[in-house]
């Protein structure tokens, strides 16, 4: 069920208990975790933190820890599946779920005892009514047919039996009609995957409600929201609205505490054209004064030549002392790169810890390391997109576009992880839409595959919705992937919290794509 009072129905309940935190491997989840950790440290709440990158890790970790904890908090995982069916917990186990994934599973919504949803109800949830999808078991009336007195006349018995047959037939018809309507309602509700309010913002508003919000917490909320924008998980209107909410908090904090600076700024450094290579390779403060003063105008003038719109976006920057200044978007890229780092043989948990630590001001060395990794990732992204477009690797499969990165492609392993591949796919689709002259292809979604494990012969597959001005950021590929795999018995692993990301055996790729084409045609 939805929690209406986060303070009383969540925080005050867990404050005196040991809590188990399951945190997904995305930047918004890490920021929400940092805020909750700060609150727990403030109130001396004992907790255990367990990072989980997918459903399998969540199930394994739950089985390992379920006997030690009564309260469990799930951040950016768990809302879009039936938790009780998947995890099979004891009746006294309580789950608090703070998750951006939509739609929320209807069983989670209407379970009033074990599932507590820390989700803003002013989001566009569109949950079906209880009576439309749940029905109490009706008692069978068959037994009444044999209760009549044996002394009744045969004709009356036949009449009574005929009436019961007609009544049962009508009930079965009503039941079938109700079930058909239920399937239709659930299909419409679960057809598309999308995202709601940032979990970091939800946790910050809890801290603010309790008058325990600090500048660091506000910064983490900003980074969490920026992650949603960079990952293209929310609409521009939603982003601007939430930026407005955070800006009011920024003004309040800056007025209260002047030793740190959070300023609303315009991010004009995302692209640059017609600038001397020698200048752009330097740090900004080392560039020629004339370029620094006219940089914005030069970028906008160059962008107009290429028909590129909306280059400006509202974002935030922070100062740590006088030397260290960061944009929220740069911190997102750095944290994401640390979390999906493929340079060393560290485990996923090690990468998670490095990424989580980089968000603290006491670990700026890790943040700078993440920035270097992010630069490498973005350079590889740009080069890969250019290569895909120049070699015509993006092809039309009918109802969608398809692109596959081959083994041996430079830097291909940088795109074996879901967030990196999704980001590459989005930028590739945008670039293809700008470059192609085929009007129909401009309206198509994209399916992209990249090698995951050469030894196991697997690839990572992501689905990206069409790049349109009216895009509502809803993704239909999650359900489509499930149906295509089921109809062809393709060996797939639907392990990611984002349903539009799957792992597929390379040998089954052809039949899987054929089924997907047939399904979406």
């Amino acid at each position: 069920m939805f929690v209406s009072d986060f303070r009383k129905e969540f925080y005050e309940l867990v404050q005196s208990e040991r809590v188990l935190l399951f945190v997904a491997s995305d930047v918004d989840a890490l920021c929400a975790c940092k805020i909750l950790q700060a609150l727990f440290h403030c109130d001396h709440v004992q907790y255990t933190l367990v990072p989980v990158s997918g459903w399998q890790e969540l199930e394994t970790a739950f089985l390992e820890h379920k006997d030690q904890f009564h309260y469990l908090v799930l951040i950016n995982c768990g809302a879009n599946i039936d938790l009780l069916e998947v995890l099979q917990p004891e009746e006294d186990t309580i789950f608090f779920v703070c998750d951006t994934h939509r739609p929320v599973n209807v069983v989670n919504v209407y379970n009033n005892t074990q599932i507590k949803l820390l989700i803003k109800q002013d989001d566009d949830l569109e949950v079906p009514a209880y009576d439309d999808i749940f029905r109490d078991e009706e008692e069978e009336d068959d037994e009444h047919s044999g209760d009549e007195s044996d002394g009744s006349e045969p004709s009356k018995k036949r009449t009574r039996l005929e009436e019961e047959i007609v009544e049962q037939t009508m009930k079965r018809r009503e039941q079938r009609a109700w079930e058909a309507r239920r399937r239709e309602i659930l299909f419409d509700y679960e057809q598309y995957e999308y995202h709601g309010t940032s979990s970091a913002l939800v946790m910050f508003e809890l801290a603010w409600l309790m008058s325990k919000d600090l500048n660091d917490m506000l910064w983490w909320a900003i980074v969490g929201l920026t992650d949603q924008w960079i990952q293209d998980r929310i609409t521009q209107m939603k982003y601007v609205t939430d930026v407005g909410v955070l800006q009011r908090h920024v003004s309040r904090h800056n007025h209260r505490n002047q030793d740190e600076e959070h300023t609303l700024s315009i991010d004009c450094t995302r692209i640059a054209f017609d600038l001397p290579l020698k200048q752009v390779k330097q740090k900004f403060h080392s560039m020629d004064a004339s370029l620094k003063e006219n940089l914005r105008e030069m970028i906008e003038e160059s962008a107009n030549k290429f028909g590129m719109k909306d280059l400006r976006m509202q974002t935030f920057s922070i100062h740590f002392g006088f030397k260290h200044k960061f944009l929220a978007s740069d911190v997102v890229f750095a944290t994401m790169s640390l979390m999906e780092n493929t340079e060393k043989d560290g485990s996923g948990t090690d990468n998670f810890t490095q990424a989580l630590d980089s968000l603290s001001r006491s670990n700026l060395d890790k943040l700078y390391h993440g920035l270097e990794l992010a630069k490498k990732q973005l350079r590889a992204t740009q080069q890969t997109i250019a290569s895909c477009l120049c070699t015509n690797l993006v092809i039309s499969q009918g109802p969608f576009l398809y692109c596959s990165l081959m083994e041996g492609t430079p830097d291909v392993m940088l795109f074996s992880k879901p967030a990196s591949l999704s980001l590459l796919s989005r930028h590739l689709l945008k670039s293809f839409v700008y470059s192609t002259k085929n009007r129909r292809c401009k309206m198509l979604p994209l399916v992209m595959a990249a090698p995951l494990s050469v030894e196991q012969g697997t690839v990572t597959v992501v689905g990206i919705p069409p790049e349109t001005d009216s895009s509502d950021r809803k993704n239909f590929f999650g359900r489509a992937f499930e149906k295509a795999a089921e109809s062809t018995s393709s060996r797939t692993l639907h392990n990611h919290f984002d349903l539009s990301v799957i792992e597929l055996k390379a040998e089954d790729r052809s039949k899987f794509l054929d089924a997907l084409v047939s399904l979406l045609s």
Side-chain angles (χ1 to χ4, degrees):
M1 72 172 191
F2 293 109
V3 173
S4 56
D5 189 331
F6 286 14
R7 180 175 185 170
K8 290 184 178 179
E9 299 177 52
F10 164 56
Y11 195 78
E12 291 182 358
L13 284 179
V14 304
Q15 196 170 355
S16 58
E17 301 281 344
R18 291 181 64 233
V19 182
L20 180 60
L21 295 181
F22 288 130
V23 182
S25 297
D26 66 75
V27 178
D28 179 47
L30 264 65
C31 292
C33 175
K34 292 291 289 185
I35 296 172
L36 193 56
Q37 281 182 307
L39 290 174
F40 283 173
H41 289 159
C42 179
D43 294 313
H44 307 289
V45 179
Q46 294 183 341
Y47 68 93
T48 297
L49 171 61
V50 180
V52 288
S53 62
W55 299 117
Q56 289 184 340
E57 286 190 7
L58 178 61
E59 292 181 47
T60 302
F62 175 74
L63 291 174
E64 182 180 347
H65 295 92
K66 66 177 183 178
D67 296 330
Q68 306 169 41
F69 297 91
H70 177 59
Y71 291 119
L72 296 88
V73 179
L74 283 70
I75 301 180
N76 278 2
C77 57
N80 55 347
I81 62 163
D82 184 349
L83 274 177
L84 300 186
E85 180 180 355
V86 171
L87 300 182
Q88 299 290 318
E90 299 293 334
E91 292 184 358
D92 61 344
T93 301
I94 308 296
F95 296 93
F96 293 96
V97 182
C98 183
D99 191 0
T100 68
H101 292 92
R102 307 287 185 271
V104 181
N105 185 275
V106 291
V107 176
N108 294 339
V109 172
Y110 291 111
N111 183 288
N112 295 323
T113 55
Q114 292 185 264
I115 308 295
K116 312 293 183 182
L117 298 171
L118 306 176
I119 291 173
K120 295 184 69 172
Q121 295 185 57
D122 55 356
D123 281 353
D124 188 17
L125 296 172
E126 301 178 352
V127 180
Y130 179 88
D131 291 336
D132 289 337
I133 51 177
F134 294 106
R135 200 171 189 179
D136 296 332
E137 293 290 334
E138 296 182 359
E139 295 182 0
E140 296 292 334
D141 294 327
D142 294 342
E143 58 185 11
H144 297 299
S145 60
D147 291 344
E148 300 297 329
S149 171
D150 292 337
S152 300
E153 296 181 8
S155 60
K156 291 183 179 181
K157 283 186 176 182
R158 283 196 301 272
T159 302
R160 176 60 179 164
L161 182 60
E162 290 171 356
E163 291 175 352
E164 289 182 353
I165 291 174
V166 171
E167 183 180 353
Q168 291 298 324
T169 302
M170 292 299 296
K171 285 184 177 182
R172 283 194 291 269
R173 286 179 180 174
E174 291 176 2
Q175 179 72 12
R176 285 196 295 268
W178 180 84
E179 289 175 351
R181 175 62 179 159
R182 179 181 186 272
R183 286 193 296 270
E184 181 181 342
I185 290 173
L186 287 178
F187 176 81
D188 291 340
Y189 176 64
E190 297 174 345
Q191 184 177 7
Y192 295 101
E193 179 187 17
Y194 60 105
H195 289 263
T197 299
S198 158
S199 293
L201 179 53
V202 170
M203 285 299 168
F204 174 77
E205 291 186 340
L206 170 64
W208 173 61
L209 183 67
M210 299 189 298
S211 300
K212 296 179 180 179
D213 53 315
L214 304 173
N215 265 15
D216 284 345
M217 295 182 185
L218 178 55
W219 175 242
W220 293 326
I222 288 169
V223 174
L225 173 62
T226 307
D227 174 57
Q228 285 197 307
W229 173 253
I230 288 175
Q231 296 280 3
D232 215 21
R233 290 177 170 172
I234 54 176
T235 63
Q236 183 172 4
M237 181 62 69
K238 172 66 173 170
Y239 175 74
V240 171
T241 301
D242 288 346
V243 161
V245 172
L246 287 170
Q247 176 59 26
R248 290 191 289 272
H249 288 294
V250 166
S251 300
R252 177 174 55 85
H253 274 251
N254 284 345
H255 178 73
R256 186 179 69 186
N257 186 359
Q258 297 294 334
D259 64 349
E260 293 176 73
E261 182 183 342
H262 297 269
T263 57
L264 185 64
S265 61
I266 303 300
D267 178 10
C268 288
T269 58
R270 299 175 70 188
I271 67 164
F273 303 100
D274 301 332
L275 297 177
L277 186 61
K278 181 179 179 181
Q279 291 292 327
V280 298
K281 284 191 172 183
Q282 300 183 67
K283 292 187 177 181
F284 180 76
H285 60 75
S286 301
M287 293 172 64
D288 288 348
S290 59
L291 283 178
K292 289 192 290 185
E293 292 173 0
N294 301 312
L295 182 61
R296 179 181 299 180
E297 290 75 13
M298 294 175 68
I299 290 177
E300 291 179 349
E301 181 181 349
S302 297
N304 289 332
K305 296 178 182 178
F306 294 91
M308 301 183 71
K309 304 176 182 179
D310 301 326
L311 287 184
R312 298 188 184 190
M313 61 172 286
Q314 293 176 311
T315 185
F316 297 83
S317 61
I318 192 172
H319 282 276
F320 292 133
F322 294 100
K323 182 180 179 181
H324 309 287
K325 181 180 180 180
F326 303 97
L327 279 177
S329 54
D330 291 340
V331 174
V332 169
F333 283 119
T335 307
M336 188 190 312
S337 297
L338 285 169
M339 195 151 40
E340 296 196 338
N341 186 11
T342 59
E343 285 189 347
K344 55 183 182 180
D345 296 329
S347 65
T349 301
D350 292 337
N351 288 346
F352 179 95
T353 303
Q354 291 287 321
L356 190 67
D357 289 346
S358 73
L359 292 170
S360 299
R361 67 173 68 198
S362 59
N363 293 312
L364 293 183
D365 56 329
K366 294 182 180 180
L367 181 56
Y368 278 113
H369 177 55
L371 287 171
E372 293 304 316
L373 292 176
K375 292 176 186 178
K376 178 181 178 181
Q377 184 81 39
L378 290 175
R379 282 193 293 267
T381 299
Q382 183 271 327
Q383 292 166 3
T384 303
I385 290 174
S387 175
C388 289
L389 295 179
C390 291
T391 57
N392 296 318
L393 284 182
V394 182
I395 58 176
S396 174
Q397 292 279 15
F400 59 88
L401 302 170
Y402 176 69
C403 179
S404 177
L405 299 182
M406 298 292 102
E407 295 177 14
T409 304
D411 299 318
V412 69
M413 291 313 297
L414 290 176
F415 305 108
S416 61
K417 302 295 181 68
S420 301
L421 182 58
S422 296
L423 202 61
L424 170 67
S425 302
R426 290 187 179 91
H427 287 305
L428 175 60
L429 180 58
K430 289 179 181 179
S431 300
F432 180 82
V433 167
Y434 275 116
S435 63
T436 186
K437 295 181 180 179
N438 188 321
R439 292 184 178 181
R440 182 177 178 275
C441 287
K442 290 177 181 287
M443 306 299 294
L444 295 179
L446 172 68
V447 175
M448 190 163 189
L452 175 62
S453 172
V454 177
E455 295 79 10
Q456 298 179 12
T458 56
V459 295
T460 301
V461 180
V462 301
I464 305 297
E467 181 62 29
T468 60
D469 293 336
S470 59
S471 176
D472 54 10
R473 302 301 186 265
K474 291 188 175 182
N475 194 325
F476 56 83
F477 276 112
R479 302 302 176 191
F481 284 168
E482 290 180 2
K483 291 183 179 296
E486 182 181 351
S487 64
T488 58
S489 300
S490 297
R491 291 165 291 179
T492 58
L493 181 60
H494 304 259
N495 184 45
H496 297 281
F497 298 127
D498 286 323
L499 303 181
S500 56
V501 181
I502 65 169
E503 297 174 18
L504 171 70
K505 278 287 187 180
E507 298 173 355
D508 296 338
R509 181 166 17 190
S510 295
K511 65 178 182 180
F512 175 81
L513 289 175
D514 290 342
L516 198 60
V517 169
S518 176
L519 185 65
L520 298 179
S521 295

